[in-house]
Amino acid sequence: MVNEVSSDNQSTNIVFVLLISVSAALGGFLFGFDTSVINGAVIALGEHFNVGPVLIGLSVSLALMGSAVGALSSGCISDRYGRVKPMLIAAVMFTASGIGSGLPYSVWDFIFWRFVGGVGIGLASAITPAYIAEISPAHLRGRFGSLQQLAIVTGIFVAMVSNYLLVKIAGGSAGMDLWLGAETWRWMFWAEVPPAVLYGVAALIIPESPRYLIGTGCEREAESVLFKVLGKDVLKKIDEIKNSLKTEKGSSFSDLKGRYGFSPIIWVGFGLSILQQFVGINVIFYYGSMLWRSVGFSEENSLWITVITGVVNVVTTLVAIAFIDRVGRKPLLLIGSAGMLVTLGVLAYIFAYAPLDAAGHPALSGSSATTALFAANLYVFCFGFSWGPVVWVLLGEMFNNRVRASALALSAGAQWIANFLVSASFPSMVAWAGLGRTYSIYAFFAAVSFFFVMFCVRETRGKELEEM
């Protein structure tokens, strides 16, 4: 009977942690939706504002600089105000960005509203993995931590489906009028507002991180939250957290310094964040429809391909959730790096040796088109079960309690800067070097990522945060 009660309590605790983790991960959903919604609107924006590839690249990528600002500021904000209040701030920014991005007078105020949304993305991207890591039991932390990536890829998928359906309803180009006399691309951005409001409501309901509460002297509140999470050994866990906070140094950026500028673990965080972007994954999500149209597919078919890619991304993240606490973090990263190297190499070869159309773009048809589509989705599959979710899990758990917020802020900031560099450079790189050479560069970084993980990354599966 005692075992049954214990089992029931444990199930209740898991459900509690799952619910609050899902609520927190809504920030990841908006992160994915906001960064991907531009995919369907990018060509219409270029036509509406009559701008070339440089400003198109900036309109897509300057939001990522906002993300870097949000991520870098998240450490001091979360250390001072906790993990939950910054989520509420991010929700307000997402809402404002969704409304403003659909009502621009020029490309520059469009960029401004995208920048505002980017700051919200940066806050959510750094705070959510830290919050989930701090609220989750050690034996389930990998799975719950992967909810962040599942939410991101779900947001990407929903944005792609939303874009496709809006274009389908409008009967063609994303620049055509839809409802209330507003062009389709405006509705693509306004579709972000309802989930942004829901995220704000969730942020008002979920409890604060127990580790933050203990660090600020609110032990009674922390005890209440930990009891709902663990169901037992609460006082022992509080003592462990208090001891780790006493023995670890402060959490300002200056405390992260080491012999080579930063301590080794911070450099590992930088490496994971930068390589996650330098393999070129977000080129598929930001420019996918433009990419497939440039090699001969129609607008509707290009958007449909991005929907298929979104489905692949969601399914493979579920694979990661199933295996991350069984197989471990490091093996998944190594397998993913090897798979991305092969598939990116195939894409580089196909794009490099495809015949050119009158505009000088590769013209894929028949078996080459089928192979490119298969390789692109297999590439997304390899990323989706490895570098997508595992990097966020590692960033949430690899740093010790005292420095986690600041270290995650720096790592997430590096990730967004790397994302900006890749996204801003893609149109110009394709125009200058062609798709084949551009994808060869991404394949090179996939090879680098394999050796980086092999020699620099430690396994964290099953360890308590106090052991880090």
Side-chain angles (χ1 to χ4, degrees):
M1 189 69 176
V2 174
N3 289 336
E4 290 179 7
V5 173
S6 177
S7 177
D8 289 342
N9 287 341
Q10 186 178 29
S11 297
T12 302
N13 297 337
I14 292 173
V15 170
F16 173 75
V17 178
L18 177 62
L19 288 174
I20 59 177
S21 296
V22 168
S23 299
L26 280 172
F29 176 90
L30 288 160
F31 165 177
F33 190 101
D34 192 85
T35 55
S36 184
V37 71
I38 191 74
N39 193 332
V42 64
I43 294 177
L45 284 167
E47 294 172 351
H48 180 81
F49 294 120
N50 192 28
V51 294
V54 174
L55 276 179
I56 285 292
L58 289 176
S59 68
V60 172
S61 59
L62 278 179
L64 305 176
M65 293 308 294
S67 300
V69 171
L72 289 170
S73 63
S74 66
C76 59
I77 292 174
S78 62
D79 278 339
R80 183 168 183 177
Y81 299 107
R83 314 305 192 226
V84 173
K85 288 181 181 177
M87 295 183 195
L88 187 59
I89 295 172
V92 172
M93 289 182 165
F94 282 129
T95 304
S97 175
I99 296 171
S101 296
L103 294 171
Y105 293 100
S106 70
V107 69
W108 296 109
D109 62 291
F110 172 80
I111 288 172
F112 168 77
W113 288 115
R114 294 292 294 160
F115 183 89
V116 170
V119 175
I121 291 172
L123 279 173
S125 69
I127 298 234
T128 300
Y131 177 83
I132 294 176
E134 291 176 350
I135 206 78
S136 303
H139 68 289
L140 294 172
R141 195 174 58 242
R143 297 180 189 180
F144 287 143
S146 297
L147 290 174
Q148 162 82 341
Q149 181 66 13
L150 179 62
I152 292 170
V153 299
T154 302
I156 290 171
F157 170 69
V158 171
M160 290 174 172
V161 171
S162 174
N163 288 348
Y164 173 78
L165 291 176
L166 287 170
V167 169
K168 188 80 171 176
I169 292 169
S173 171
M176 294 183 66
D177 289 350
L178 191 54
W179 300 299
L180 303 178
E183 297 97 323
T184 309
W185 64 266
R186 298 182 189 272
W187 286 100
M188 290 178 177
F189 296 106
W190 291 338
E192 183 180 356
V193 175
V197 173
L198 180 62
Y199 181 46
V201 172
L204 292 172
I205 296 173
I206 61 177
E208 184 53 80
S209 160
R211 287 169 173 83
Y212 170 77
L213 290 171
I214 292 171
T216 53
C218 302
E219 290 186 26
R220 189 173 295 276
E221 292 90 335
E223 182 178 344
S224 176
V225 176
L226 283 171
F227 181 78
K228 294 177 182 178
V229 172
L230 301 174
K232 59 181 181 178
D233 297 329
V234 172
L235 296 179
K236 179 182 177 182
K237 174 54 67 175
I238 289 175
D239 287 339
E240 289 177 2
I241 295 172
K242 287 170 68 176
N243 289 333
S244 72
L245 293 175
K246 286 179 183 177
T247 57
E248 292 159 3
K249 294 182 179 180
S251 61
S252 67
F253 289 143
S254 62
D255 293 315
L256 305 180
K257 292 180 179 179
R259 184 177 178 183
Y260 299 103
F262 292 100
S263 61
I265 192 66
I266 304 300
W267 285 114
V268 173
F270 284 163
L272 287 168
S273 295
I274 292 168
L275 288 170
Q276 188 199 50
Q277 298 304 314
F278 276 13
V279 296
I281 188 65
N282 282 315
V283 166
I284 295 288
F285 297 124
Y286 299 165
Y287 296 103
S289 62
M290 186 177 81
L291 169 67
W292 296 118
R293 285 181 71 176
S294 73
V295 295
F297 291 87
S298 68
E299 177 186 35
E300 186 175 320
N301 286 339
S302 296
L303 287 172
W304 180 242
I305 291 168
T306 64
V307 171
I308 295 172
T309 302
V311 172
V312 171
N313 208 13
V314 172
V315 171
T316 51
T317 304
L318 294 174
V319 173
I321 290 174
F323 287 98
I324 192 168
D325 282 321
R326 298 179 185 179
V327 176
R329 286 60 161 153
K330 192 167 181 174
L332 289 179
L333 288 176
L334 289 171
I335 296 169
S337 292
M340 288 190 294
L341 173 60
V342 172
T343 50
L344 286 168
V346 170
L347 285 170
Y349 179 85
I350 291 174
F351 290 143
Y353 290 96
L356 303 180
D357 61 17
H361 299 138
L364 302 184
S365 60
S367 60
S368 63
T370 303
T371 304
L373 286 174
F374 179 79
N377 283 289
L378 187 57
Y379 160 62
V380 172
F381 177 87
C382 293
F383 180 89
F385 72 75
S386 61
W387 281 79
V390 176
V391 168
W392 287 113
V393 171
L394 281 171
L395 292 179
E397 66 186 8
M398 65 190 286
F399 306 115
N400 63 50
N401 281 330
R402 177 65 74 179
V403 303
R404 182 173 298 111
S406 296
L408 229 169
L410 277 178
S411 298
Q415 184 175 133
W416 287 113
I417 292 170
N419 193 338
F420 167 77
L421 293 174
V422 172
S423 303
S425 64
F426 178 73
S428 300
M429 283 181 64
V430 171
W432 171 66
L435 277 172
R437 290 178 182 173
T438 300
Y439 271 80
S440 295
I441 294 171
Y442 302 148
F444 167 78
F445 283 108
V448 172
S449 72
F450 181 90
F451 292 103
F452 178 82
V453 172
M454 180 177 289
F455 295 110
C456 300
V457 175
R458 293 189 307 161
E459 182 58 67
T460 56
R461 178 169 64 106
K463 293 183 178 181
E464 294 287 347
L465 294 182
E466 286 66 47
E467 299 177 56
M468 301 299 179

